[in-house]
Amino acid sequence: MYRWEIVQAVTEQRVFGIVRAATPEAALTSAEAVLDAGLRAVEVALTTPRALSAVARLTEQRPDALVGAGTVLDSAAARAAVEAGARFLVSPSLHPEVIRAGHRYGVPVFPGVATPTEIVRALEEGADAVKIFPASGVSPAWLRDVRAALPQAPAIPTGGVTVDDAPEWIAAGAVACGMGSALTSGGPSAAMERVAALLAGLAGAR
């Protein structure tokens, strides 16, 4: 897939899962839970010990899933993630070297931003979308106001987005939301119920 096709696929459902765990095995279990529940894309945070082994196993076991790597802070981590099979990269902050490394290998990058100035700089550096982080520090109304001035910015609120307010973020102009413990806590059965409720809610917000 080309970079733009990956972005389109990752944002198609308006949400992707985020997995951050104490072990690669736990990350794999959580990722499989949200994929089994109906999500097509999931990000494995590199703060998980031996996270790239989980990325590699997921890409082997779930070839139809869009598996990404999160908390990518430098070009070395970006390249290692791509070599492990990551198809998109996410950062909590803005690192031009990560964007360049991802693009070098045909992979989209979503850097973290928190202000209009950072959003514009990320776009200038070639970001495929911007991760609004932490979303808990702002609101859908804030995003709506920012997009009035910067309608060209594809925004992905992450960090504190809940099943209840995700539709509000989409209605405010977000292209997708990144969601972690709001989906994965409580085990596979709870994840299944939350994802089903979330997808139903997001369908009404489009």
Side-chain angles (χ1 to χ4, degrees):
M1 297 172 76
Y2 291 110
R3 213 171 75 219
W4 66 268
E5 292 177 303
I6 297 172
V7 175
Q8 189 174 51
V10 169
T11 60
E12 183 179 14
Q13 286 185 301
R14 304 292 190 175
V15 63
F16 59 83
I18 301 171
V19 171
R20 192 183 305 274
T23 66
E25 292 76 19
L28 191 64
T29 298
S30 293
E32 289 180 328
V34 295
L35 292 172
D36 287 341
L39 292 189
R40 301 189 195 110
V42 63
E43 163 200 333
V44 179
L46 296 191
T47 49
T48 300
R50 303 187 306 284
L52 295 182
S53 66
V55 171
R57 288 171 63 186
L58 269 176
T59 56
E60 291 173 2
Q61 297 173 15
R62 303 292 184 111
D64 294 332
L66 291 156
V67 180
T71 324
V72 181
L73 301 181
D74 54 44
S75 59
R79 178 172 177 174
V82 173
E83 289 178 343
R87 299 174 75 181
F88 63 98
L89 305 176
V90 186
S91 301
S93 44
L94 175 56
H95 302 282
E97 65 180 284
V98 172
I99 298 174
R100 288 194 294 270
H103 289 183
R104 186 176 298 128
Y105 300 106
V107 170
V109 181
F110 311 145
V113 296
T115 67
T117 298
E118 291 180 349
I119 290 172
V120 171
R121 186 180 168 213
L123 295 178
E124 290 172 345
E125 295 290 351
D128 299 278
V130 292
K131 169 182 172 176
I132 305 299
F133 180 79
S136 59
V138 289
S139 67
W142 177 89
L143 178 61
R144 186 178 291 108
D145 289 343
V146 169
R147 291 198 73 257
L150 301 172
Q152 72 275 26
I156 302 175
T158 305
V161 177
T162 69
V163 172
D164 292 333
D165 66 18
E168 296 178 36
W169 286 105
I170 298 303
V175 295
C177 295
M179 298 179 63
S181 59
L183 294 180
T184 60
S185 62
S189 296
M192 184 82 70
E193 294 178 6
R194 291 193 191 103
V195 170
L198 176 63
L199 293 178
L202 292 178
R206 298 188 186 192

